[in-house]
């Protein structure tokens, strides 16, 4: 759904500065998540640590034109001539008010879920249970905060038949706003635990805060066996239906008669509203999953699902990929990663999961735990409780990280125990490097940076270096921009480690120069960028199905080129609770490598995209086969006609603007009329014009040094297999670069040369793995002198021409053990 900017202004009670027409379909609070600038409304939220108004300038450059602000920028009409500014007293309250008014538009059942633990599991399982028969809109992931809830509710549209939203609170006074936004017809309280207890005077006070979600709900769902919850509900909820469940009270609307755990499944027998006993089975045996399933059953039955269908859907439930992950570790270890938060209740859930996980190898169970914060308990009592849980759940080794745990070490009664002040100290300890054959639960609060535990940094030392001129990158970028219309967006290709130049530093330079997208080959390349502070949009050109979660976690946007990939992507996004995830649709117009057929596949593709809300097409693109050669111009014209037809059909099926792009580096220059919404800059960025292979501005220079000089008489041979036969007395230099560094073996045996002190020195004999030999007989030089393999004085195209290949191959062959040295002119 979209709203006009005039309507939004009215709904939030703002004063408008700027009179430009606009439609709003997307709300944004984090500038790093920008995807659809043309229809985005940015809320410049002010917090104790940040001020959203700092990002207005950047967002305006990236295409955003509509902003909700508490302070209108000075001289806004001159600085941002195409912008609308909606001035409000409080930007967060305006966001919440807009979501509340949006919710008012829909008369549908809405489930609101609160509780100390299990909110996301209940939400996602309800989605799995109800989505086969209803169009469900739900919170993406754990969007349950004062910001997350309005962003979630905004996702409701005209197709929504059921809404499911989480509501999380951490202090008094927060639930009132969330209740008004969600307006649940069915409200669920999963459980009451100690999370955020330090902000409440008692468990009862916290329960009262959570129970505010019940205020106007037609039906409430809770566990009647919790005395605190039952007491508070009896006091605050005086109307509507109390759909409580109980294992003790046979009169409860949902009476749980028995819970039978087997090896890999659990059967729950129940009576609903006094009816005949029924049952369902689920493929989980841990207590947390069983409790969440009961809450799901109550809601599903209330929504009219029959016991038979409920049983069928429960048996098909899939694990929720939210916070707890199981991964294969090094040295025979299995990692259970639950480093999202750390409180005593979630610790018990995670320990229960680890204890019940089958391990036929008899490996030790190890817990790595950070300080537990915000518990509201005294430290001594808290860690005695932790110790008791560990003993109960079979923990054999305990590793505590944080000052509190160090102080309370004597409260942990595990024989094999170790304590460290921080993650860095642990990572550098002998204990970290001797972990073998263990099942390891990693459980830590956010601020302890537990993701470092799986990363070991190894310093790379090598006398061969690749010098990268970042100023040249910027010059090449601007050279191509000079061919483009100002409004045309640009994707910069930094796959294959930025064509060997090193993706992180290249990406930082491009981000500084405001490129619209970066493109990588695989998700891991994008993760490296994100971990190094890159916030620009990142496109993944060759997404692997095993990497979907990685892409979701790091906001990486995949190319989609087949129905198989599309279906897997939709399934993965739905499993993660994700909606409207941007994807880039690839059409095959003649390359015949990857892509949808723009004539035969479009109807089915459009139909599938329209009947789901997990992904949304952000762009549609194709590849020219030969834009670098005039001889292929006729075929390029055929390609463009196919692309134009297919991409227009896709656009006509959607209300939001879908970016179209087909021009690559050669196309930008050769086909300016086909630049469309966006272009892709690859080899040209790195200084090679693919039209004629001339050098624009040299980016990468591969250098090494002379290790040793040796006088070798005529008739002798140099290197393996005696291929380098000398016809005269020669001076042979050994240099520390070989095919393991990326120097192609076909360059050997005098097929090409490098430069020593500006003079040509041919490669003699076979190139070895780590070393090669060059002929410096007529070149004044000494050990330690510099050698240029390719670069400023020796174009990379000389090497590629010598072995009949392309510059791409020479550049991307440079291995990671070659140190990159970055500089600016």
């Amino acid at each position: 759904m979209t709203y006009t900017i005039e309507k939004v202004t009215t709904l939030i009670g703002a004063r408008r500065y700027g009179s430009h027409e606009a439609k709003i379909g997307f709300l944004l609070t984090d500038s790093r998540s920008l995807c659809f600038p043309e229809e985005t409304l940015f809320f410049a939220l002010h917090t104790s640590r940040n001020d959203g108004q700092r990002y207005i300038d950047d967002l305006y450059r990236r295409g955003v034109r509509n902003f909700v602000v508490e302070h209108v920028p000075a001289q806004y009409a001159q600085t941002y001539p195409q912008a609308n500014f909606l001035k409000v007293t409080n930007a967060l309250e305006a966001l919440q008010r807009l979501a509340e008014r949006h919710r008012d538009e829909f008369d549908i059942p809405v489930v609101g879920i609160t509780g100390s633990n299990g909110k996301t599991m209940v939400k996602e399982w309800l989605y799995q249970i109800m989505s086969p028969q209803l169009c469900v809109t739900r919170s993406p992931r754990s969007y349950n905060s004062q910001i997350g809830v309005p962003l979630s509710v905004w996702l409701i549209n005209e197709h929504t038949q059921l809404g499911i939203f989480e509501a999380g609170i951490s202090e008094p006074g927060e639930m009132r706003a969330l209740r008004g936004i969600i307006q649940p017809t069915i409200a669920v309280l999963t459980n009451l635990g100690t999370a955020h207890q330090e902000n409440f005077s008692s468990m009862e006070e916290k329960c009262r805060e959570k129970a505010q979600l019940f205020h106007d709900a037609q039906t409430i769902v809770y566990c009647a066996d919790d005395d605190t919850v039952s007491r508070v509900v009896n006091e605050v909820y005086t109307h509507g239906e109390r759909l409580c469940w109980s294992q003790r009270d046979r009169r409860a609307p949902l009476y749980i008669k028995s819970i039978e755990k087997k090896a890999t499944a659990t059967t729950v027998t129940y009576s609903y509203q006094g009816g005949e006993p029924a049952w369902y089975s689920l493929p989980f045996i841990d207590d947390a999953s069983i409790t969440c399933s009961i809450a799901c059953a109550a809601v599903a039955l209330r929504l009219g699902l029959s016991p038979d269908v409920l049983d069928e859907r429960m048996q098909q439930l899939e694990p929720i990929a939210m916070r707890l992950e199981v991964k294969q570790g090094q040295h025979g270890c299995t990692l259970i990663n639950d480093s999202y938060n750390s409180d005593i209740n979630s610790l018990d859930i995670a320990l229960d999961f680890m204890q019940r996980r089958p391990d036929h190898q008899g490996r030790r169970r190890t817990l790595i735990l950070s300080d537990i914060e915000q518990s509201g308990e005294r430290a001594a009592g808290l860690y005695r409780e932790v110790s008791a849980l560990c003993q109960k759940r079979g923990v054999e080794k305990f590793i505590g990280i944080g000052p509190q745990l160090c102080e309370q070490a004597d409260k942990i009664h595990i024989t094999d125990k170790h304590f460290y002040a921080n993650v860095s100290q642990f990572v550098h300890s002998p204990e970290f490097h001797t972990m073998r054959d263990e099942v390891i639960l990693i459980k830590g609060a956010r601020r302890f940076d537990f993701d470092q535990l799986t990363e070991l940094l190894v310093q790379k030392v090598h006398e061969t270096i690749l010098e990268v001129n970042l100023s040249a990158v910027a010059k090449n970028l601007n050279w191509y921009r000079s061919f483009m219309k100002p409004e045309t967006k640009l994707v910069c290709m930094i796959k294959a480690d930025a064509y060997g130049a090193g993706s992180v530093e290249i990406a930082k330079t491009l981000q500084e120069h405001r490129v619209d997208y970066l493109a990588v080959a695989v998700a891991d390349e994008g993760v490296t960028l994100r971990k190094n502070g890159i916030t620009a949009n990142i496109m993944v050109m060759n997404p692997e199905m095993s990497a979907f979660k990685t892409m979701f976690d790091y906001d990486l946007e995949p190319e989609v080129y087949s129905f198989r990939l599309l279906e897997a992507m939709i399934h993965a996004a739905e499993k993660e609770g994700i909606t409207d995830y941007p994807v880039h649709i690839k059409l095959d117009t003649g390359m015949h490598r990857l892509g949808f057929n723009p004539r035969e596949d479009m109807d089915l593709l459009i139909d599938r995209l329209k009947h789901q809300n997990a992904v949304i097409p952000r762009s549609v693109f194709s590849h020219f086969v030969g834009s670098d050669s005039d001889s292929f111009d006729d075929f390029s014209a055929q390609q463009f006609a196919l692309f134009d037809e297919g991409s227009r059909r896709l656009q006509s099926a959607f209300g939001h603007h879908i970016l179209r792009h087909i021009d690559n580096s050669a196309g930008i220059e050769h086909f300016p009329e086909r630049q469309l919404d966006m272009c892709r800059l690859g080899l040209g960025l790195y200084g090679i014009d693919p039209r004629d292979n001339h050098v624009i501005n040299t980016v990468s220079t591969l250098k090494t040094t002379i290790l040793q000089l040796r006088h070798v008489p005529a008739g002798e041979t140099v290197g393996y297999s005696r291929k380098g036969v000398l016809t005269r007395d020669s001076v042979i230099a050994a240099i520390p670069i070989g095919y393991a560094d990326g120097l192609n073996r076909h360059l050997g045996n005098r097929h090409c040369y490098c430069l020593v002190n500006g003079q040509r020195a041919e490669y003699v004999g076979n190139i070895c793995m780590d070393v090669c030999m060059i002929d410096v007989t007529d070149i004044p030089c000494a050990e330690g002198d510099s050698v240029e393999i390719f670069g400023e004085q020796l174009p990379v195209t000389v090497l590629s021409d010598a072995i009949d290949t392309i510059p791409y191959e020479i550049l991307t062959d440079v291995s990671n053990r070659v140190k990159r040295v970055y500089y600016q002119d």
Side-chain angles (χ1 to χ4, degrees):
M1 289 186 64
T2 60
Y3 290 80
T4 64
I5 193 67
E6 291 85 358
K7 181 69 171 178
V8 171
T9 303
T10 301
L11 291 177
I12 65 175
R15 181 176 179 182
R16 181 177 171 189
Y17 294 79
S19 57
H20 308 282
E21 292 185 3
K23 289 185 177 181
I24 302 302
F26 301 89
L27 307 185
L28 182 70
T29 61
D30 185 343
S31 63
R32 295 169 296 182
S33 301
L34 178 64
C35 187
F36 298 93
E38 309 91 312
E39 298 177 30
T40 290
L41 178 63
F42 176 68
F43 287 78
L45 304 182
H46 181 78
T47 68
S48 59
R49 295 186 177 182
N50 208 352
D51 186 351
Q53 302 224 173
R54 294 169 47 195
Y55 304 102
I56 290 174
D57 192 56
D58 174 63
L59 288 169
Y60 187 83
R61 287 194 185 99
R62 292 162 64 189
V64 178
R65 294 294 180 263
N66 299 284
F67 304 85
V68 175
V69 298
E70 297 173 7
H71 307 285
V72 177
Q75 297 183 323
Y76 72 92
Q78 292 76 32
T79 308
Y80 310 107
Q82 297 176 322
N84 293 306
F85 290 94
L86 309 186
K87 186 177 184 297
V88 296
T89 303
N90 185 297
L92 175 59
E93 292 178 1
L95 171 66
Q96 294 172 339
R97 189 177 305 117
L98 179 58
E100 187 174 338
R101 299 287 77 80
H102 180 67
R103 168 68 180 91
D104 289 342
E105 297 290 319
F106 301 91
D107 183 17
I108 57 173
V110 171
V111 182
I113 306 167
T114 190
S116 297
N117 298 105
K119 295 184 293 294
T120 301
M121 184 176 288
V122 170
K123 176 199 69 182
E124 293 299 321
W125 278 359
L126 274 176
Y127 172 80
Q128 292 182 30
I129 292 168
M130 301 306 302
S131 60
Q133 64 194 70
L134 296 175
C135 181
V136 180
T137 296
R138 70 198 193 282
S139 307
R141 298 204 158 183
S142 297
Y143 274 34
N144 57 32
S145 66
Q146 299 291 304
I147 298 172
V149 169
L151 294 178
S152 299
V153 171
W154 179 259
L155 299 175
I156 299 176
N157 58 40
E158 64 271 23
H159 303 295
T160 303
Q161 297 170 295
L162 173 66
I164 309 174
F165 302 105
E166 297 180 40
I169 55 101
S170 59
E171 59 185 44
E174 291 186 329
M175 187 60 81
R176 184 182 182 89
L178 303 186
R179 180 190 74 211
I181 298 167
I182 298 173
Q183 301 172 37
T185 57
I186 301 175
V188 180
L189 176 60
T190 58
N191 60 22
L192 190 64
T194 59
H196 306 295
Q197 187 57 48
E198 78 284 356
N199 296 325
F200 297 91
S201 60
S202 65
M203 292 289 284
E204 184 167 316
E205 182 191 21
K206 182 163 62 177
C207 186
R208 289 180 183 277
E209 178 67 21
K210 291 181 180 295
Q212 286 196 42
L213 184 66
F214 294 171
H215 192 271
D216 297 314
Q218 299 169 12
T219 301
I220 62 174
V221 176
Y222 62 98
C223 177
D225 294 343
D226 187 316
D227 294 335
T228 301
V229 172
S230 291
R231 184 170 61 254
V232 169
V233 167
N234 288 333
E235 293 177 10
V236 304
Y237 190 73
T238 57
H239 66 284
E241 178 186 18
R242 298 182 186 180
L243 182 48
C244 60
W245 62 272
S246 173
Q247 290 181 270
R248 302 188 310 213
D249 186 357
R250 293 176 178 271
R251 299 170 299 174
L254 182 59
Y255 171 53
I256 307 302
K257 300 189 67 173
S258 66
I259 297 175
E260 182 183 357
K261 296 182 182 180
K262 299 178 182 178
T264 59
T266 300
T267 298
V268 177
T269 303
Y270 64 91
S271 174
Y272 177 63
Q273 300 291 14
E276 292 297 316
W279 56 85
Y280 64 82
S281 295
L282 69 155
F284 303 95
I285 58 175
D286 60 287
D287 294 338
S289 295
I290 295 167
T291 300
C292 289
S293 78
I294 294 172
C296 291
V299 175
L301 292 167
R302 176 62 180 81
L303 290 171
L305 213 64
S306 70
D308 289 342
V309 175
L310 176 63
D311 179 42
E312 177 187 339
R313 304 263 171 90
M314 285 284 191
Q315 292 184 52
Q316 297 171 355
L317 289 179
E318 297 180 0
I320 304 303
M322 46 177 184
R323 302 174 183 177
L324 191 149
E325 302 172 323
V326 179
K327 298 180 178 179
Q328 291 302 312
Q330 298 180 17
H331 309 301
C333 293
T334 294
L335 307 181
I336 301 173
N337 182 21
D338 191 21
S339 54
Y340 183 86
N341 62 10
S342 184
D343 63 78
I344 196 70
N345 285 347
S346 62
L347 173 62
D348 189 26
I349 292 170
L351 287 171
D352 179 59
F353 178 87
M354 179 170 69
Q355 183 183 34
R356 293 181 179 276
R357 181 175 175 79
D359 183 41
H360 304 298
Q361 303 173 43
R363 295 174 295 180
R364 286 194 302 174
R365 291 187 173 93
T366 298
L367 170 64
I368 304 176
L369 180 70
S370 79
D371 286 350
I372 295 178
E373 302 175 318
Q374 302 179 341
S375 70
E377 295 186 45
R378 292 183 179 274
L382 172 65
Y383 291 109
R384 286 194 190 97
E385 191 174 353
V386 167
S387 180
L389 278 178
C390 291
Q391 291 173 302
K392 176 183 175 184
R393 299 295 191 186
V395 172
E396 297 162 275
K397 183 165 78 171
F398 184 99
I399 296 172
I401 296 178
Q404 274 191 14
L405 273 164
C406 289
E407 291 177 4
Q408 302 295 328
D410 61 321
K411 308 301 188 300
I412 305 298
H413 300 300
I414 305 293
T415 302
D416 189 1
K417 59 183 180 180
H418 311 267
F419 298 89
Y420 303 90
N422 51 52
V423 166
S424 178
Q425 189 182 99
F426 172 48
V427 166
H428 291 91
S429 72
E431 183 60 39
F432 182 78
H433 295 283
T434 57
M435 300 184 84
R436 298 286 190 280
D437 300 316
E438 302 171 43
V439 179
I440 305 168
L441 171 61
I442 302 173
K443 183 71 176 164
R446 289 185 184 92
R447 75 174 186 89
F448 285 88
D449 296 325
F450 265 32
D451 57 340
Q452 294 182 39
L453 297 179
T454 56
E455 296 181 12
L456 287 173
L457 301 177
V458 179
Q459 188 175 359
K460 301 168 186 174
V461 179
H462 195 25
E463 291 186 85
T464 299
I465 64 170
L466 185 74
E467 292 183 345
V468 181
N469 186 340
L470 297 177
S471 297
V473 174
K475 290 177 183 176
N476 294 332
L477 173 67
N478 291 329
W479 191 79
Y480 276 96
R481 277 178 165 169
S482 70
F483 293 101
M484 298 167 56
K485 298 185 290 291
E487 64 271 20
T488 302
K489 300 180 186 298
L490 192 61
V491 184
C492 286
M493 313 302 291
I494 55 173
K495 59 183 180 177
D497 203 25
Y499 290 49
S503 60
V504 172
E505 292 301 326
I506 298 297
K508 289 179 179 178
T509 299
L510 296 173
Q511 183 168 275
E512 181 181 347
H513 285 80
R514 311 289 182 180
V515 300
D516 302 283
Y517 265 95
L518 303 175
V520 298
V522 295
D524 285 348
E525 292 179 330
V527 171
T528 298
L529 299 182
R530 290 287 188 238
K531 288 185 175 181
N532 284 275
I534 300 302
T535 59
N537 297 319
I538 298 177
M539 190 184 303
V540 180
M541 305 302 287
N542 299 104
E544 297 170 320
M545 295 188 187
S546 60
F548 287 145
K549 185 177 187 305
T550 298
M551 289 187 279
F552 298 148
D553 287 345
Y554 291 93
D555 295 324
L556 309 175
E557 303 175 18
E559 164 190 314
V560 174
Y561 53 78
S562 71
F563 288 108
R564 176 173 174 264
L565 179 61
L566 177 61
E567 289 299 333
M569 180 74 185
I570 291 170
H571 178 74
E574 290 178 342
K575 183 177 178 181
E576 293 279 345
I578 289 173
T579 56
D580 288 345
Y581 199 83
V583 298
H584 302 268
I585 305 298
K586 185 173 187 176
L587 303 183
D588 176 17
T589 58
M591 180 76 78
H592 299 322
R593 183 173 60 181
L594 296 170
F596 294 98
N597 187 308
R599 285 181 174 161
E600 297 177 4
D601 292 340
M602 295 311 294
D603 288 340
L604 183 58
L605 174 62
I606 290 169
D607 182 72
R608 186 66 186 99
L609 289 170
K610 293 288 286 184
H611 287 86
Q612 54 81 47
N613 66 350
V615 303
I616 186 170
R618 176 54 179 143
S619 82
V620 56
F621 70 103
S622 189
H623 284 282
F624 279 126
V625 168
S627 56
D628 55 348
S629 173
D630 293 352
S631 63
F632 295 118
D633 281 359
D634 288 344
F635 190 76
S636 294
Q638 295 175 33
Q639 281 193 274
F640 183 75
L642 272 175
F643 175 72
D644 193 44
E645 176 187 343
S647 61
R648 287 182 183 277
R649 287 182 64 190
L650 183 66
Q651 177 62 85
S652 66
F654 291 88
H656 70 277
H657 182 60
I658 301 174
L659 299 172
R660 299 195 302 156
H661 49 111
I662 191 171
D663 267 355
N664 51 10
S665 296
I668 292 172
E669 185 180 357
H670 191 43
F671 301 130
E673 73 281 5
R674 298 169 184 166
Q675 290 176 3
L676 305 178
D677 298 306
M678 190 156 66
C679 300
R680 300 186 304 274
L681 182 58
L683 185 62
L685 181 66
Y686 303 96
I688 309 297
D689 185 342
R691 290 280 296 160
D692 56 11
N693 271 1
H694 87 272
V695 176
I696 308 168
N697 296 283
T698 298
V699 170
S700 297
T701 298
L702 183 59
K703 290 182 175 181
T704 189
T705 59
I706 294 177
L707 288 177
Q708 187 180 41
L709 293 172
R710 181 183 300 277
H711 292 269
V712 184
E716 292 286 332
T717 61
V718 176
Y720 284 117
S721 303
R722 305 200 71 189
K723 292 290 185 68
V725 180
L726 299 179
T727 59
R728 63 172 179 165
D729 292 345
S730 303
V731 179
I732 302 299
I735 57 177
I737 184 171
Y739 58 80
D741 301 293
L743 187 64
N744 195 297
R745 289 186 75 246
H746 294 95
L747 297 169
N749 297 303
R750 299 189 186 274
H751 288 131
C752 198
Y753 59 88
C754 56
L755 296 183
V756 176
N757 295 328
Q759 298 186 49
R760 296 183 180 186
E762 292 182 329
Y763 297 105
V764 182
N766 287 335
I767 290 174
C768 309
M769 180 182 288
D770 309 301
V771 177
C772 68
M773 285 68 73
I774 56 177
D775 188 344
V776 294
T777 304
D778 300 318
I779 303 173
C781 59
E783 292 178 358
D785 281 0
S786 179
V787 179
E788 181 175 313
I789 307 300
F790 64 75
E792 195 71 47
Q793 299 180 62
L794 179 57
V796 68
T797 50
V798 171
L799 280 69
S800 60
D801 289 346
I803 57 175
D804 194 26
T805 187
I806 54 178
Y808 300 81
E809 182 177 349
I810 304 297
L811 291 170
T812 59
D813 275 351
V814 180
S815 73
N816 285 331
R817 78 178 188 180
V818 175
K819 182 180 179 181
R820 271 66 173 172
V821 178
Y822 299 92
Y823 70 97
Q824 294 184 342
D825 294 337

